[in-house]
Amino acid sequence: MTVNIFLEFAAPWISGLTPYVPGKPLSELERELGIQDAVKLASNENPLGPGPKARAALAEALAEVGRYPDGGGFELRRALAEHHGLPPQAVTLGNGSNDVLDLIARTFLHPGAESVFSEYAFAVYPIATQSVGATARIAPARDYGHDLEAISRLINEQTRVVWIANPNNPTGTWLAAETLRAFIGSLPKTCIVVVDEAYTEYVEAPDFPDATHWLATFPNLIVTRTFSKVHGLAGLRVGYALSDPAIAELLNRVRQPFNVNSLAQAAAIAALSDREHVRASVELNRAGMRQFTQAFAELGISYIPSVGNFITIDCGRFAGPINESLLKRGIIVRPVGNYGLPNHLRVSVGLESENARCIAALAEVLG
Ligand SMILES: *Cc1c(COP(=O)(O)O)cnc(C)c1O
């Protein structure tokens, strides 16, 4: 890359920052290959897309798109508050939950402050930390998952934020209720703990926690959720944080006034009430996960057991060329070398036919 002549004028911590690498867009691969039936299993999207209620709400909201959105998100916050049995003052809306993670970093982190997270944790945590000049402390993982003891050892007086994805992306690993609750209880009150529950709806393990139930007990807890995954609204960008109202009040000071657009607000309210779509999406995911794990067992492909809507396979060698071969076959999955997993590929669970095409391509490429 050429030297960026403006780098010396940027804030000093910007030089060490590398941008987030998103999944390759379908249209881009189709353009490159001159094909029209590429399969994207790279961004953990819901293969069904939005449910019927959200689609209807979107069509209706289009009429008002000439107006600014409700900057306070009154109706959506009210719906979320009711959904979670919390006051509306506990809700902070974001342009996707990534926006909320950024709000947390901008509110609680600064040069000299530290955040702690696990090796293989979601890639937005280091970016949000570094973009405000704070220092990231990374705890070694255990069996690919968060090792809470290792995380605890990195916490000191400078620690302001601990990021925990439950389940984690890209590993699909998770923490049981008792373990996570005890960890949160052990933290100093000077330290905010963020439990990122982007995939919570997919998890069926009986001892998997809903951390929103602990908000009354732990005032330093923030729980984040998103409409991008099971609700199928990734393109609209809407997520939220639930927290003590005093934390929400601070987050709302740095929030851009119109960060969630009016279509997203309307669709999210409708999606929240569409329990049937959530149920159908979870069921489709369960079947797709079975389809993948059975095929991987037959093909001798090893993988990290996952409770999310994605599964990360171990190619046993550098995954770059395998990814290239999959792309040539019209299959987009996610390389996770930037997570320190150069031999792995993350595959999102799609429709049965999409999963089947991915499995067939993997059998060819890895065979
Ligand atoms: C996908 C994902 C999110 C959600 O991102 P949005 O900005 O809401 O689309 C948050 N956290 C994790 C761990 C994720 O994988």
Side-chain angles (χ1 to χ4, degrees), residues 6 19 23 51 65 116-117 142 173 233 251 281 303:
F6 289 102
V65 87
V116 181
F117 50 90
R142 189 197 293 164
T173 50
L233 300 176
L251 298 179
S281 303
Y303 59 88

Side-chain angles (χ1 to χ4, degrees), residues 95-98 122 125 165 169 196 198-199 226 228-229 237-238:
N95 191 261
S97 56
N98 283 345
F122 186 43
Y125 310 151
N169 166 23
D196 178 345
Y199 301 96
T226 181
S228 298
K229 305 289 158 57
R237 315 302 305 127
V238 50

Side-chain angles (χ1 to χ4, degrees), residues 11-14 17 101-115 125-136 161 163 254:
W13 43 86
I14 301 300
L17 207 51
L101 302 177
D102 212 46
L103 294 180
I104 295 167
R106 285 199 280 141
T107 304
F108 292 104
L109 295 176
H110 51 82
E114 299 183 4
S115 87
Y125 310 151
I127 296 175
T129 301
Q130 253 185 286
S131 66
V132 293
T135 302
V161 178
W163 310 97
V254 292

